[in-house]
Amino acid sequence: MAWVYLCIAGLFECAWAIGLKYTEGFTKAVPTAFTIVAMIISFWLLSIAMKTIPVGTAYAVWTGIGAVGVAILGMFLFNESKDILRILCLLLIVTGIVGLKLVSKGEA
């Protein structure tokens, strides 16, 4: 179950990172509230996952999900580069996330 919490925490990391863009420096109330709630949920789920998943693995997976998710969302929401090398680099991060899961001594 810890891995499920960790993956959901990573998705909420994507939500709050994208939300930051919409807060315009925390000057817009609704996006700011959404972002803060997403941050709290993300950190809370990460902390639950870290009860059984090693801290280094959990943090790397959490940030990896966030980095890949935000980069992909940025391509579609903000018309960021869809260059093939950028996509290949994102696939390397995904490979690392999967590799960490496969070699993890934490909860299966």
Side-chain angles (χ1 to χ4, degrees), residues 75-94:
M75 290 178 197
F76 294 98
L77 296 174
F78 309 119
N79 201 32
E80 294 177 2
S81 171
K82 296 177 183 86
D83 182 79
I84 189 69
L85 289 177
R86 187 170 193 228
I87 294 168
L88 288 174
C89 289
L90 292 173
L91 288 173
L92 287 173
I93 296 171
V94 170

Side-chain angles (χ1 to χ4, degrees), residues 3-79:
W3 282 95
V4 172
Y5 291 138
L6 182 58
C7 290
I8 295 169
L11 295 176
F12 273 97
E13 184 190 7
C14 295
W16 70 254
I18 292 295
L20 280 175
K21 177 83 170 167
Y22 290 103
T23 68
E24 294 186 20
F26 296 109
T27 61
K28 294 195 169 194
V30 173
T32 295
F34 169 82
T35 300
I36 291 170
V37 168
M39 284 177 174
I40 292 168
I41 293 169
S42 181
F43 282 113
W44 176 63
L45 290 171
L46 175 62
S47 73
I48 292 171
M50 283 186 178
K51 288 180 180 179
T52 54
I53 299 172
V55 66
T57 300
Y59 187 72
V61 170
W62 180 70
T63 57
I65 291 169
V68 170
V70 171
I72 291 170
L73 287 169
M75 290 178 197
F76 294 98
L77 296 174
F78 309 119
N79 201 32

